[in-house]
Each structure stands twice: as structure tokens, then as C-alpha cells.
């Protein structure tokens, strides 16, 4: 990102940081080596929305996942189909052929937390393993991918 663009974003009060994707857990949406611009102001002004791509701290490591469900919602996976409050969720980035036969939950997301999933369900360690993540552990929201294919993630 050109320095002038970073200065412009800082001038409007948007604190941003570059992040490099390190794993395959978000494929095909994001690939290892992709570089992202992350809004680091945090969620002190409100909770994240379902489908946001967020960065969070897990045991000293920064991870990147998608918000699948927010506090109060019931989330599950039925034969590879993500459901929230019993309704199927459209997920264009998830290859349904690779998740056929996958089941999880359902579980209700506690207050103050979010349920996070990787788009590459078979290759992601996410809330199915470590549980819902407290909102205060979220360090930012992905704004855009700037390398190698500029655009929305």
C-alpha cells in the first residue's frame, strides 16, 4: 500500500496494520503469502458482525478466521452445511464437496464471544476445537487484500 494511502487512513482515525496470511485455513478466500490491511481499532465500539474476517490472539499467536456466529446464536454443521439458528448459511467460499459428511454441534454462542471458522474446514483449527472466542481477544477486522491480488478478501 502506498505510504500516502496509509497516511490518509490514519488521518480519518482508522488505525491499520499489514498482516501476512501464514496458513491454508482460509483457502480459497485467502492463501499463504496474501497480505492484508487490518483495521486494528478493535471492537470496543461494538461487536463484530457475522461473516467478518477477524484477527485474534490465541496463546500469543495471531490467527485469522471468519465470524460464523455471534453471541446468542446457535451454530452447527449438518452434513457439511453451516447452520445458524437452525437455518442454512450460504457460504460461497466453502467447497461443499470437501465438507460433505461433516457434523458439529449445535452449540449456543455465549454472551461476549463469537464463533470463528476457517473457510477451509478440513484444514482449520477453529472454534470447533477451542470454543467461542471472547470479543476482547479480537485485535482487528480485515479491510482488504493488497497483495498479490488487490481487492476484498
Amino acid at each position: 500500500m502506498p505510504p500516502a494511502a496509509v497516511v490518509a487512513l490514519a488521518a480519518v482515525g482508522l488505525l491499520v496494520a499489514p498482516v501476512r496470511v501464514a496458513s491454508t485455513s482460509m483457502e480459497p478466500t485467502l492463501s499463504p503469502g496474501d497480505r492484508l490491511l487490518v483495521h486494528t481499532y478493535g471492537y470496543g465500539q461494538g461487536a463484530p458482525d457475522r461473516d467478518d474476517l477477524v484477527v485474534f490472539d490465541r496463546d500469543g499467536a495471531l490467527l485469522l478466521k471468519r465470524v460464523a456466529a455471534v453471541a446468542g446464536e446457535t451454530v452447527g454443521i449438518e452434513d457439511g452445511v453451516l447452520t445458524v439458528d437452525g437455518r442454512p448459511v450460504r457460504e460461497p467460499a466453502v467447497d461443499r464437496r470437501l465438507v460433505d459428511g461433516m457434523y458439529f454441534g449445535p452449540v449456543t454462542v455465549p454472551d461476549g464471544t463469537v464463533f470463528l471458522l476457517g473457510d477451509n474446514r478440513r484444514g482449520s483449527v477453529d472454534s470447533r476445537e477451542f470454543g467461542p472466542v471472547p470479543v476482547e481477544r479480537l485485535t482487528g477486522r480485515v479491510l482488504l487484500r493488497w497483495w498479490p491480488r488487490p481487492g476484498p478478501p
Side-chain angles (χ1 to χ4, degrees), residues 52-74:
D52 281 354
L53 296 181
V54 296
V55 176
F56 66 103
D57 179 89
R58 180 167 186 264
D59 301 328
L62 288 181
L63 300 181
L64 170 69
K65 304 293 178 194
R66 184 178 303 277
V67 177
V70 298
E73 294 180 323
T74 300

Side-chain angles (χ1 to χ4, degrees), residues 52-137:
D52 281 354
L53 296 181
V54 296
V55 176
F56 66 103
D57 179 89
R58 180 167 186 264
D59 301 328
L62 288 181
L63 300 181
L64 170 69
K65 304 293 178 194
R66 184 178 303 277
V67 177
V70 298
E73 294 180 323
T74 300
V75 62
I77 299 174
E78 301 173 6
D79 199 14
V81 176
L82 175 67
T83 62
V84 174
D85 292 336
R87 292 184 297 277
V89 174
R90 186 176 176 279
E91 295 184 290
V94 176
D95 186 341
R96 296 284 303 272
R97 296 170 300 178
L98 299 177
V99 295
D100 187 39
M102 184 179 289
Y103 290 85
F104 174 83
V107 297
T108 300
V109 182
D111 286 343
T113 68
V114 290
F115 196 89
L116 304 175
L117 292 173
D119 288 350
N120 176 6
R121 297 284 152 73
R122 293 230 184 259
S124 178
V125 175
D126 48 39
S127 286
R128 293 171 295 165
E129 182 173 318
F130 52 71
V133 174
V135 171
E136 65 265 8
R137 288 196 14 220

Side-chain angles (χ1 to χ4, degrees), residues 40-53:
T40 60
Y41 188 70
Y43 286 98
Q45 304 293 12
D49 292 320
R50 192 176 338 134
D51 208 40
D52 281 354
L53 296 181

